[in-house]
Amino acid sequence: MAKRKLRKWHVPIAVLVASGGLVGCATSTQSHNTASNSGAASAVPVRAAGASNGTVTITYPSPPGISSLDPSQWAAQILVDQGTILEGLYGYNQQNQIVPKIASGYSLSKDGLTWTIYLRHDARWSNGDPVTAQDFYYAWMRQLNPANSQAQLWASVLNNVKNAYQYHSGAVPASQVGIKVINNYELQITTTTPHYILGELAVSASMPLDPKVVNAHPTNWYLPQYFVGDGPYVVKSFTPNGTITLVPNPKYVGHPGEVNHGNAKVINLVPGTTVAVEDYMAGKLDVALVGSPSDLQYVKTHNLKTQLHVAPDYSIEYLEWDHSAVPSPYYNTKVRQAIAMAIERQPIVQDVLDGMGGVTNTFSTPGWPAAKYEKGLPENVVEAKKLLAEAGYPNGKGLPVLYLYAPVPDVNQQGVPVAEAISQELQQNLGIQTKIVQENQTDYSALVWEGPLKGIQPGFVVAAGAVNWFEPANMDIQASQGIYFPGDYGWTPQQVQHVLPWYNTPYDPASVAKYGNPQDPNTGVSWNDWIPLQNEVQKDIAIITKWTKEQPAKWQAILNPPGTPSLQQQWNQIVQQWKNAKTASAKHAAFVLAWEFVAPESATTTLGGTNTGALDVQAWWDTNESEQEREWRMWQAYEQNSMTSAQAAVWAGKLVTSLEQQAWVIPLYYNETFYLEKPWVTGAQPNPWAWGNFYQFQYLSTK
């Protein structure tokens, strides 16, 4: 019954694609050496702007930079690993559709749980080795290894594989994980519940690895002198957080019937600059993202319209309740509804964004499947004033300052200007005073995508909701992010105060006092230290089991999937690990696993996160949530376990409408990607998903 969250990552808007010469070398025809971190150097071909020697130079977001090419580490690796230097069972074509790559097809069991994927026999690694089912199994189990605490399991098919999280936490053995190699070219994947996985198979952390190479060089297998890939391109040189040079893989065999790559002979990936349009105009770049309204205005007035393109961006800018634990009138639904109805979106899109987006009061972009099921609050200043008066705050009198948290310009150039426009509208339309607080990347991310944080005042975050990848579970465009943690949307200030320590300390202080300190290496060596945990396990399981049995049968099947170890069995496995331990340190390590299985902690999560699957968290959650919060969780579960987008759209619409009507989230506008492309370059592919920038570099071509 684990309640897991999907972490999200949003790249800054101001990024670009470069070609011509290297960035900063507009017309240079000299060779340029780029050293890998091994100390070796390799020549990077540079061409004069406008020439065509098959070289394309393209930037990636910096920060966060690319410090490693390991596909399990997420961040910017998704821009390179998935499809360019590593190729998965499925991938994206040039229309952002999921198509077979290494796979030749699949079959699905009648219960919707077991996927049998058939691999092509002709796929090869760049060293000539065949790409087999064992290569995928090896890569995935490497991530799942309990010792690999930094693996981003949510960013792959592993997020839904049967017993994946249980094995990763040490609660079950590897043999119980739902991944099985049938033969060299047949792989079986069993999910916890029926779930559409083809989109997840295209994500970077689902890529295969060549075991022979990784075992020989476990920490730096991706350096050029060792690198072996199965994608259209291989790594010729690599400088961490610097330039990466890619060249065609001579052993690559693409999927028949698909366009698998372009004709670029060399692809240089360099850290992004902040002067994309200037470099484009100077002839330094072939392709550039237009990252700001001022840049767009410049493009429109400098005879570049024929080179300007617009592409979909499946993301929504919105106001998200900031999960504050401070009591205030903003917990009053009518006050939040008044705020939502008093915001005039068209002036923001036209005057602040210069048309770089479209007005919306729902979590939908043009043609989005869930749009017809959503109903957001309408713009109506007169009605907003009436609601505010009914709540007891006519013309804003008596309301405290409303805080608006916005990302610093380096994270999102539009964040602060949008906050300023909203501030002005709320003052003019409702008399509400606001304070804008700029947040750095780390703090902003925690505010948007994690649980309650200390020191946050009542208000909203100028947030970006996006679609991580193609799958039905993303139909709500992250509108339901605040449902992943108790204490976010819909909880009382008193309840938020209760859970606040869960998110802001490595180990919940109250739990440390109750169960012992997991950071003390001497704790847990004696069985007497385990007795408080053992007693609580029995209490929690009784609460969780009773609550689960009271839910609709459809949800019960998701909460307690058949064939998965029970909570008691998982606990017994951890206890057995302690019994089998031969050293004091091993016994303490088992105790830490047991502690984290039971109690709230954020030591192995990010700031503002907690282990929502812990028994104490689940038992408190089930006992204290309102009927509305219970329905949100249920609808979210139905959406995430839908097998088609059409099915998911119905539940997403129901869930998001409720959140919009209560103004826990207030959609503002949807984004669009504007970019410039020189006539001699094709195949630049703007990424419509949550990561921004360009991706699928393998399709780049020159004329």
Side-chain angles (χ1 to χ4, degrees):
M1 185 183 151
K3 303 178 179 74
R4 298 189 296 271
K5 69 186 184 68
L6 296 177
R7 282 193 49 76
K8 319 292 186 196
W9 181 69
H10 199 273
V11 178
I13 290 177
V15 289
L16 55 98
V17 166
S19 189
L22 287 171
V23 170
C25 305
T27 57
S28 171
T29 57
Q30 301 175 350
S31 65
H32 180 89
N33 289 330
T34 302
S36 73
N37 65 352
S38 65
S42 58
V44 178
V46 177
R47 65 178 173 79
S52 181
N53 65 357
T55 298
V56 178
T57 300
I58 184 170
T59 66
Y60 62 81
S62 179
I66 298 180
S67 59
S68 162
L69 298 178
D70 192 313
S72 72
Q73 299 308 306
W74 192 238
Q77 284 82 299
I78 55 168
L79 303 173
V80 184
D81 289 338
Q82 60 177 45
T84 303
I85 61 175
L86 292 173
E87 189 165 78
L89 294 166
Y90 285 79
Y92 292 101
N93 65 14
Q94 290 178 291
Q95 289 75 46
N96 304 312
Q97 299 166 324
I98 300 297
V99 295
K101 289 297 184 179
I102 300 299
S104 62
Y106 72 89
S107 61
L108 180 61
S109 61
K110 290 182 179 180
D111 61 8
L113 294 176
T114 301
W115 299 71
T116 302
I117 311 292
Y118 307 101
L119 281 68
R120 292 189 289 113
H121 290 217
D122 58 349
R124 293 288 181 271
W125 291 99
S126 54
N127 61 2
D129 290 344
V131 180
T132 68
Q134 285 91 342
D135 300 334
F136 287 91
Y137 181 86
Y138 171 82
W140 298 350
M141 295 304 291
R142 174 175 175 264
Q143 292 180 59
L144 288 177
N145 190 317
N148 189 0
S149 61
Q150 300 303 311
Q152 306 292 310
L153 305 187
W154 63 275
S156 72
V157 70
L158 299 175
N159 191 58
N160 291 285
V161 167
K162 178 181 176 181
N163 289 331
Y165 280 86
Q166 288 83 350
Y167 168 61
H168 188 61
S169 68
V172 303
S175 59
Q176 294 189 28
V177 176
I179 308 170
K180 183 180 180 181
V181 175
I182 306 301
N183 56 53
N184 282 348
Y185 299 101
E186 197 170 329
L187 183 69
Q188 201 170 79
I189 303 169
T190 301
T191 57
T192 305
T193 58
H195 187 86
Y196 177 87
I197 65 170
L198 299 188
E200 293 174 340
L201 290 174
V203 181
S204 65
S206 295
M207 299 300 108
L209 294 173
D210 188 329
K212 179 172 64 179
V213 176
V214 179
N215 287 335
H217 309 283
T219 61
N220 58 2
W221 60 269
Y222 49 79
L223 296 184
Q225 64 268 38
Y226 310 130
F227 180 82
V228 172
D230 70 329
Y233 288 84
V234 294
V235 180
K236 184 174 183 180
S237 68
F238 171 53
T239 301
N241 298 312
T243 299
I244 306 169
T245 299
L246 310 177
V247 295
N249 174 3
K251 302 293 186 180
Y252 178 74
V253 178
H255 194 285
E258 297 290 341
V259 175
N260 295 290
H261 59 83
N263 67 9
K265 296 178 181 177
V266 178
I267 300 175
N268 296 319
L269 303 175
V270 297
T273 76
T274 59
V275 289
V277 175
E278 291 180 23
D279 285 348
Y280 183 89
M281 291 291 291
K284 299 177 184 179
L285 313 178
D286 287 335
V287 186
L289 282 181
V290 180
S292 70
S294 59
D295 282 347
L296 182 59
Q297 190 60 234
Y298 185 87
V299 168
K300 290 178 177 179
T301 57
H302 284 75
N303 199 31
L304 292 172
K305 290 184 179 180
T306 59
Q307 299 172 42
L308 181 65
H309 305 272
V310 182
D313 184 337
Y314 305 141
S315 66
I316 302 294
E317 300 293 322
Y318 69 108
L319 294 184
E320 174 189 13
W321 175 247
D322 62 18
H323 327 311
S324 174
V326 179
S328 81
Y330 295 110
Y331 276 85
N332 186 315
T333 301
K334 287 187 176 182
V335 174
R336 294 193 312 276
Q337 289 172 331
I339 291 170
M341 297 175 73
I343 295 173
E344 299 173 81
R345 294 162 175 79
Q346 191 62 38
I348 295 175
V349 170
Q350 289 303 318
D351 300 337
V352 179
L353 306 180
D354 195 28
M356 295 183 69
V359 169
T360 184
N361 68 340
T362 63
F363 277 75
S364 62
T365 61
W368 194 248
K372 60 184 177 182
Y373 301 109
E374 284 189 50
K375 185 178 181 181
L377 290 171
E379 290 183 20
N380 190 325
V381 176
V382 173
E383 184 63 25
K385 289 177 179 290
K386 185 187 301 183
L387 283 170
L388 203 59
E390 290 174 359
Y393 306 100
N395 298 317
K397 291 180 181 179
L399 284 176
V401 169
L402 178 75
Y403 278 69
L404 295 174
Y405 293 90
V408 295
D410 285 347
V411 176
N412 186 331
Q413 290 186 22
Q414 278 68 259
V416 172
V418 168
E420 291 172 342
I422 291 170
S423 175
Q424 182 178 358
E425 290 185 352
L426 293 180
Q427 165 64 34
Q428 291 176 347
N429 295 339
L430 296 180
I432 294 178
Q433 302 297 321
T434 61
K435 181 176 181 178
I436 297 172
V437 179
Q438 297 188 40
E439 296 281 352
N440 61 34
Q441 175 72 74
T442 299
D443 294 340
Y444 172 73
S445 294
L447 265 174
V448 175
W449 296 307
E450 304 292 353
L453 295 173
K454 291 180 179 178
I456 299 301
Q457 299 301 313
F460 291 90
V461 187
V462 180
V467 178
N468 271 320
W469 50 76
F470 177 79
E471 69 159 286
N474 288 322
M475 279 295 105
D476 65 11
I477 316 186
Q478 289 187 21
S480 65
Q481 185 66 31
I483 299 172
Y484 289 110
F485 297 104
D488 279 4
Y489 306 155
W491 297 82
T492 68
Q494 293 75 23
Q495 290 173 321
V496 179
Q497 282 290 346
H498 177 83
V499 303
L500 200 58
W502 300 359
Y503 303 99
N504 292 269
T505 52
Y507 293 94
D508 173 42
S511 299
V512 170
K514 188 175 182 179
Y515 306 129
N517 186 0
Q519 295 177 301
D520 180 352
N522 297 314
T523 305
V525 176
S526 166
W527 178 251
N528 286 335
D529 295 339
W530 285 66
I531 293 175
L533 286 172
Q534 174 91 327
N535 292 337
E536 197 66 24
V537 165
Q538 304 311 314
K539 295 178 183 177
D540 286 346
I541 289 178
I543 292 171
I544 295 166
T545 301
K546 179 178 181 296
W547 180 89
T548 301
K549 289 181 178 179
E550 294 170 349
Q551 307 314 312
K554 179 178 179 179
W555 195 14
Q556 284 190 47
I558 297 172
L559 293 166
N560 190 20
T564 57
S566 67
L567 295 175
Q568 185 64 57
Q569 289 171 327
Q570 293 178 50
W571 170 255
N572 293 343
Q573 179 70 29
I574 298 174
V575 171
Q576 189 62 46
Q577 185 172 331
W578 179 85
K579 290 179 178 179
N580 294 339
K582 304 300 183 184
T583 65
S585 61
K587 286 183 177 295
H588 170 70
F591 176 80
V592 173
L593 280 177
W595 202 103
E596 294 175 353
F597 183 74
V598 176
E601 58 88 15
S602 59
T604 55
T605 61
T606 58
L607 175 69
T610 194
N611 53 332
T612 55
L615 298 188
D616 280 356
V617 175
Q618 291 188 44
W620 187 90
W621 201 343
D622 295 343
T623 303
N624 291 276
E625 69 184 347
S626 67
E627 180 62 23
Q628 176 68 89
E629 287 147 6
R630 187 198 69 84
E631 285 188 332
W632 287 343
R633 274 207 287 165
M634 182 173 66
W635 297 337
Q636 186 185 56
Y638 292 165
E639 175 199 346
Q640 293 180 345
N641 288 275
S642 296
M643 292 296 287
T644 67
S645 295
Q647 293 171 349
V650 176
W651 295 110
K654 193 176 185 71
L655 171 60
V656 177
T657 293
S658 180
L659 295 174
E660 291 167 345
Q661 291 291 321
Q662 297 180 46
W664 294 111
V665 294
I666 304 173
L668 301 172
Y669 59 89
Y670 60 83
N671 291 297
E672 292 178 313
T673 299
F674 290 76
Y675 67 103
L676 295 164
E677 186 177 66
K678 297 289 187 180
W680 53 82
V681 174
T682 61
Q685 194 161 336
N687 194 328
W689 317 106
W691 318 308
N693 204 57
F694 292 79
Y695 80 143
Q696 305 305 111
F697 301 134
Q698 69 269 27
Y699 296 121
L700 288 168
S701 293
T702 61
K703 297 178 182 179

